[in-house]
Amino acid sequence: MDLLEKLTWYPLEDLPFIVLVLMIAFSVHEFAHAYAAYKFGDMTAYNEGRVTLDPRSHLDIVGTLLILIAGFGWAKPVPVNRGRFKYPRVMGIIVSAAGPLSNLLLAAIGILIVYVLNQAGWLYTDHAGVTKAVIHFLYYLIFMNTLLFLFNLIPLPPLDGYRIIQDMLPQRQRIKLEQHEQWGMFIFLLIVFIPQLRMYTLEPLFSLSAPIRGFIQSLMELVFAPVDWPKFVITFIS
Protein backbone atom coordinates (compact mmCIF):
# COMPACT_ATOMS: atom_id res chain seq x y z
CA MET A 1 0.00 0.00 0.00
CA ASP A 2 2.85 2.40 0.89
CA LEU A 3 4.55 1.66 -2.43
CA LEU A 4 1.32 2.29 -4.32
CA GLU A 5 0.88 5.62 -2.55
CA LYS A 6 4.41 6.63 -3.58
CA LEU A 7 3.68 5.75 -7.21
CA THR A 8 0.51 7.82 -7.50
CA TRP A 9 0.47 11.58 -8.00
CA TYR A 10 -2.76 11.94 -6.04
CA PRO A 11 -3.79 10.58 -2.62
CA LEU A 12 -4.73 6.93 -2.90
CA GLU A 13 -8.12 7.42 -1.24
CA ASP A 14 -9.00 10.03 -3.90
CA LEU A 15 -8.33 7.77 -6.88
CA PRO A 16 -11.99 6.70 -7.37
CA PHE A 17 -13.03 10.36 -7.69
CA ILE A 18 -10.11 11.18 -9.96
CA VAL A 19 -10.71 8.21 -12.25
CA LEU A 20 -14.40 9.14 -12.53
CA VAL A 21 -13.60 12.78 -13.27
CA LEU A 22 -10.97 11.79 -15.85
CA MET A 23 -13.43 9.47 -17.59
CA ILE A 24 -15.88 12.35 -17.84
CA ALA A 25 -13.28 14.99 -18.78
CA PHE A 26 -11.48 12.95 -21.43
CA SER A 27 -14.69 11.56 -22.95
CA VAL A 28 -16.36 14.97 -23.23
CA HIS A 29 -13.15 16.54 -24.58
CA GLU A 30 -12.70 14.00 -27.37
CA PHE A 31 -16.43 13.90 -28.11
CA ALA A 32 -16.36 17.68 -28.59
CA HIS A 33 -13.57 17.36 -31.19
CA ALA A 34 -15.33 14.49 -32.97
CA TYR A 35 -18.77 16.10 -32.95
CA ALA A 36 -17.47 19.45 -34.23
CA ALA A 37 -15.58 17.73 -37.06
CA TYR A 38 -18.66 15.66 -37.91
CA LYS A 39 -20.89 18.74 -38.04
CA PHE A 40 -18.40 20.43 -40.39
CA GLY A 41 -18.50 17.51 -42.81
CA ASP A 42 -15.60 15.28 -41.78
CA MET A 43 -16.90 11.74 -41.19
CA THR A 44 -13.52 10.30 -40.14
CA ALA A 45 -14.14 10.33 -36.39
CA TYR A 46 -17.79 9.35 -36.87
CA ASN A 47 -16.80 6.28 -38.90
CA GLU A 48 -14.38 5.26 -36.12
CA GLY A 49 -17.11 5.46 -33.50
CA ARG A 50 -15.72 8.56 -31.78
CA VAL A 51 -18.87 10.71 -31.86
CA THR A 52 -19.91 9.25 -28.52
CA LEU A 53 -19.57 9.94 -24.80
CA ASP A 54 -18.69 6.29 -24.13
CA PRO A 55 -15.31 6.41 -22.29
CA ARG A 56 -14.27 3.10 -23.86
CA SER A 57 -14.00 4.85 -27.23
CA HIS A 58 -11.75 7.62 -25.95
CA LEU A 59 -9.58 6.50 -23.02
CA ASP A 60 -5.96 5.61 -23.63
CA ILE A 61 -4.67 3.18 -21.00
CA VAL A 62 -1.12 4.57 -20.93
CA GLY A 63 -2.31 8.19 -20.96
CA THR A 64 -4.77 7.56 -18.13
CA LEU A 65 -2.20 5.73 -16.00
CA LEU A 66 0.33 8.50 -16.60
CA ILE A 67 -1.99 11.19 -15.30
CA LEU A 68 -2.44 9.14 -12.13
CA ILE A 69 1.31 8.63 -11.78
CA ALA A 70 2.78 11.89 -13.11
CA GLY A 71 -0.18 14.27 -13.00
CA PHE A 72 -0.32 14.53 -16.82
CA GLY A 73 -1.80 12.29 -19.46
CA TRP A 74 -3.95 12.06 -22.55
CA ALA A 75 -6.84 10.31 -24.26
CA LYS A 76 -6.89 8.80 -27.75
CA PRO A 77 -6.58 11.66 -30.25
CA VAL A 78 -9.56 12.14 -32.53
CA PRO A 79 -8.65 11.76 -36.23
CA VAL A 80 -9.56 14.89 -38.19
CA ASN A 81 -9.30 15.38 -41.96
CA ARG A 82 -9.32 19.15 -42.43
CA GLY A 83 -9.42 18.68 -46.18
CA ARG A 84 -13.09 17.77 -45.86
CA PHE A 85 -14.01 21.10 -44.27
CA LYS A 86 -15.54 23.82 -46.41
CA TYR A 87 -13.29 26.36 -44.68
CA PRO A 88 -10.35 24.22 -43.48
CA ARG A 89 -8.52 26.79 -41.37
CA VAL A 90 -11.46 28.41 -39.62
CA MET A 91 -13.24 25.13 -39.03
CA GLY A 92 -9.96 23.48 -38.02
CA ILE A 93 -9.47 26.11 -35.31
CA ILE A 94 -13.02 25.58 -34.04
CA VAL A 95 -12.58 21.78 -33.97
CA SER A 96 -9.28 22.09 -32.09
CA ALA A 97 -10.68 24.63 -29.63
CA ALA A 98 -13.82 22.55 -28.97
CA GLY A 99 -11.93 20.13 -26.73
CA PRO A 100 -10.40 22.63 -24.28
CA LEU A 101 -13.60 24.68 -24.24
CA SER A 102 -15.56 21.56 -23.29
CA ASN A 103 -13.31 21.16 -20.24
CA LEU A 104 -13.89 24.79 -19.30
CA LEU A 105 -17.63 24.15 -19.63
CA LEU A 106 -17.36 21.10 -17.34
CA ALA A 107 -15.52 23.20 -14.75
CA ALA A 108 -18.28 25.84 -14.97
CA ILE A 109 -20.93 23.13 -14.56
CA GLY A 110 -19.11 21.86 -11.47
CA ILE A 111 -19.08 25.38 -9.99
CA LEU A 112 -22.76 25.79 -10.89
CA ILE A 113 -23.61 22.56 -9.05
CA VAL A 114 -21.79 23.85 -5.94
CA TYR A 115 -23.84 27.04 -6.00
CA VAL A 116 -27.13 25.18 -6.58
CA LEU A 117 -26.43 22.74 -3.73
CA ASN A 118 -25.36 25.59 -1.47
CA GLN A 119 -28.49 27.60 -2.32
CA ALA A 120 -30.68 24.59 -1.55
CA GLY A 121 -28.85 23.86 1.70
CA TRP A 122 -27.67 20.47 0.45
CA LEU A 123 -23.93 21.11 0.09
CA TYR A 124 -23.27 20.09 3.70
CA THR A 125 -25.39 17.28 5.11
CA ASP A 126 -25.64 15.50 8.44
CA HIS A 127 -23.84 12.55 6.87
CA ALA A 128 -20.14 13.43 6.89
CA GLY A 129 -19.24 10.65 4.45
CA VAL A 130 -21.77 11.80 1.86
CA THR A 131 -20.71 15.43 2.22
CA LYS A 132 -17.03 14.54 1.84
CA ALA A 133 -17.69 12.35 -1.23
CA VAL A 134 -19.77 15.04 -2.97
CA ILE A 135 -17.22 17.77 -2.24
CA HIS A 136 -14.31 15.58 -3.36
CA PHE A 137 -16.02 14.82 -6.66
CA LEU A 138 -16.97 18.45 -7.30
CA TYR A 139 -13.53 19.73 -6.28
CA TYR A 140 -11.77 17.44 -8.73
CA LEU A 141 -14.36 18.10 -11.45
CA ILE A 142 -13.70 21.83 -11.18
CA PHE A 143 -9.96 21.70 -10.51
CA MET A 144 -8.94 19.10 -13.09
CA ASN A 145 -11.10 20.45 -15.91
CA THR A 146 -9.73 23.97 -15.40
CA LEU A 147 -6.20 22.57 -15.60
CA LEU A 148 -7.07 20.49 -18.68
CA PHE A 149 -8.46 23.60 -20.36
CA LEU A 150 -5.17 25.44 -19.82
CA PHE A 151 -2.95 22.42 -20.44
CA ASN A 152 -4.46 21.64 -23.83
CA LEU A 153 -3.87 25.21 -25.02
CA ILE A 154 -0.08 24.80 -24.77
CA PRO A 155 1.22 25.33 -28.35
CA LEU A 156 3.19 22.08 -28.52
CA PRO A 157 2.23 18.87 -30.37
CA PRO A 158 0.18 16.82 -29.76
CA LEU A 159 -1.87 19.39 -27.81
CA ASP A 160 -4.77 21.40 -29.20
CA GLY A 161 -2.95 24.71 -28.79
CA TYR A 162 -0.45 23.57 -31.41
CA ARG A 163 -3.20 22.69 -33.90
CA ILE A 164 -4.82 26.08 -33.35
CA ILE A 165 -1.49 27.85 -34.06
CA GLN A 166 -1.02 25.66 -37.13
CA ASP A 167 -4.33 26.73 -38.64
CA MET A 168 -3.70 30.38 -37.85
CA LEU A 169 -0.34 30.57 -39.64
CA PRO A 170 0.13 31.31 -43.37
CA GLN A 171 0.92 28.24 -45.47
CA ARG A 172 4.68 28.94 -45.73
CA GLN A 173 5.14 29.33 -41.97
CA ARG A 174 2.93 26.32 -41.35
CA ILE A 175 5.15 24.13 -43.52
CA LYS A 176 8.23 25.33 -41.65
CA LEU A 177 6.54 24.61 -38.33
CA GLU A 178 5.59 21.10 -39.40
CA GLN A 179 9.23 20.38 -40.33
CA HIS A 180 10.14 20.70 -36.63
CA GLU A 181 7.02 19.01 -35.30
CA GLN A 182 8.91 15.90 -34.18
CA TRP A 183 10.76 17.99 -31.59
CA GLY A 184 7.53 19.19 -30.04
CA MET A 185 6.83 15.96 -28.16
CA PHE A 186 10.41 15.88 -26.88
CA ILE A 187 10.12 19.46 -25.59
CA PHE A 188 6.73 18.66 -24.11
CA LEU A 189 8.10 15.69 -22.15
CA LEU A 190 11.06 17.75 -20.90
CA ILE A 191 8.70 20.44 -19.62
CA VAL A 192 6.49 17.88 -17.89
CA PHE A 193 9.17 15.76 -16.22
CA ILE A 194 12.01 18.21 -15.42
CA PRO A 195 10.99 20.14 -12.28
CA GLN A 196 13.05 23.24 -13.12
CA LEU A 197 11.47 23.60 -16.56
CA ARG A 198 8.07 22.80 -15.17
CA MET A 199 8.46 25.53 -12.55
CA TYR A 200 8.95 28.24 -15.19
CA THR A 201 6.49 26.99 -17.81
CA LEU A 202 3.58 24.88 -16.57
CA GLU A 203 3.27 26.30 -13.07
CA PRO A 204 2.83 29.93 -14.21
CA LEU A 205 0.28 28.71 -16.76
CA PHE A 206 -1.62 26.69 -14.18
CA SER A 207 -1.63 29.65 -11.81
CA LEU A 208 -4.22 31.15 -14.18
CA SER A 209 -6.70 28.50 -13.07
CA ALA A 210 -7.52 30.41 -9.86
CA PRO A 211 -8.56 33.67 -11.60
CA ILE A 212 -10.53 31.66 -14.18
CA ARG A 213 -12.46 29.91 -11.43
CA GLY A 214 -12.84 33.23 -9.63
CA PHE A 215 -14.36 34.82 -12.73
CA ILE A 216 -16.87 31.99 -13.13
CA GLN A 217 -17.74 32.23 -9.43
CA SER A 218 -18.35 35.97 -9.76
CA LEU A 219 -20.80 35.27 -12.60
CA MET A 220 -22.59 32.67 -10.48
CA GLU A 221 -22.97 35.16 -7.64
CA LEU A 222 -25.00 37.42 -9.91
CA VAL A 223 -27.72 34.80 -9.49
CA PHE A 224 -26.90 32.71 -6.42
CA ALA A 225 -25.95 33.41 -2.83
CA PRO A 226 -22.15 33.42 -2.25
CA VAL A 227 -20.44 30.12 -1.45
CA ASP A 228 -18.01 29.87 1.46
CA TRP A 229 -15.16 28.56 -0.70
CA PRO A 230 -12.58 28.43 2.14
CA LYS A 231 -14.99 26.12 4.02
CA PHE A 232 -15.42 24.04 0.83
CA VAL A 233 -11.64 23.61 0.52
CA ILE A 234 -11.21 22.87 4.25
CA THR A 235 -13.89 20.18 4.01
CA PHE A 236 -12.05 18.74 1.01
CA ILE A 237 -8.66 18.51 2.73
CA SER A 238 -9.92 17.50 6.16
Side-chain angles (χ1 to χ4, degrees):
M1 187 67 71
D2 290 340
L3 177 60
L4 187 57
E5 288 180 348
K6 291 179 181 178
L7 288 176
T8 55
W9 183 267
Y10 300 98
L12 197 59
E13 63 272 17
D14 288 356
L15 288 186
F17 303 104
I18 293 166
V19 170
L20 178 58
V21 166
L22 286 178
M23 288 174 64
I24 296 170
F26 283 167
S27 299
V28 171
H29 180 107
E30 299 305 332
F31 166 79
H33 285 312
Y35 182 75
Y38 168 70
K39 295 301 287 185
F40 286 148
D42 177 18
M43 301 291 290
T44 308
Y46 178 84
N47 291 334
E48 293 190 11
R50 302 299 301 276
V51 185
T52 177
L53 289 171
D54 186 344
R56 293 173 297 179
S57 298
H58 302 298
L59 294 184
D60 180 276
I61 294 176
V62 175
T64 304
L65 288 175
L66 191 60
I67 202 169
L68 298 177
I69 295 171
F72 296 93
W74 55 81
K76 295 177 184 176
V78 167
V80 176
N81 185 348
R82 285 164 170 75
R84 295 182 178 176
F85 297 154
K86 185 175 181 180
Y87 305 104
R89 289 191 179 183
V90 174
M91 292 179 172
I93 290 171
I94 294 173
V95 169
S96 296
L101 288 175
S102 73
N103 292 123
L104 183 61
L105 177 61
L106 283 173
I109 290 172
I111 293 173
L112 173 62
I113 294 172
V114 172
Y115 276 93
V116 170
L117 292 177
N118 182 68
Q119 187 90 2
W122 298 340
L123 187 57
Y124 304 98
T125 70
D126 295 333
H127 303 283
V130 173
T131 296
K132 194 171 182 67
V134 169
I135 287 179
H136 267 66
F137 172 74
L138 290 172
Y139 177 89
Y140 281 117
L141 183 68
I142 296 165
F143 176 77
M144 298 190 76
N145 275 288
T146 309
L147 291 186
L148 284 170
F149 164 68
L150 292 168
F151 180 70
N152 279 286
L153 290 178
I154 296 173
L156 287 172
L159 300 175
D160 299 318
Y162 175 77
R163 301 302 173 195
I164 293 172
I165 294 296
Q166 259 190 324
D167 286 320
M168 292 176 65
L169 289 175
Q171 184 67 20
R172 182 175 297 180
Q173 280 72 29
R174 179 174 178 168
I175 292 173
K176 288 182 179 179
L177 184 66
E178 290 173 350
Q179 290 173 348
H180 303 286
E181 190 171 303
Q182 71 274 16
W183 297 104
M185 177 61 79
F186 180 69
I187 296 170
F188 168 73
L189 292 174
L190 289 178
I191 290 173
V192 169
F193 290 108
I194 296 180
Q196 291 81 0
L197 292 177
R198 186 168 171 165
M199 182 186 304
Y200 293 105
T201 54
L202 295 182
E203 291 184 11
L205 176 66
F206 289 162
S207 69
L208 297 174
S209 63
I212 289 173
R213 293 194 300 271
F215 175 72
I216 297 172
Q217 290 163 18
S218 67
L219 293 179
M220 296 296 174
E221 291 179 10
L222 296 174
V223 179
F224 299 101
V227 169
D228 187 347
W229 286 102
K231 180 181 179 181
F232 182 89
V233 174
I234 290 170
T235 304
F236 168 78
I237 63 178
S238 62

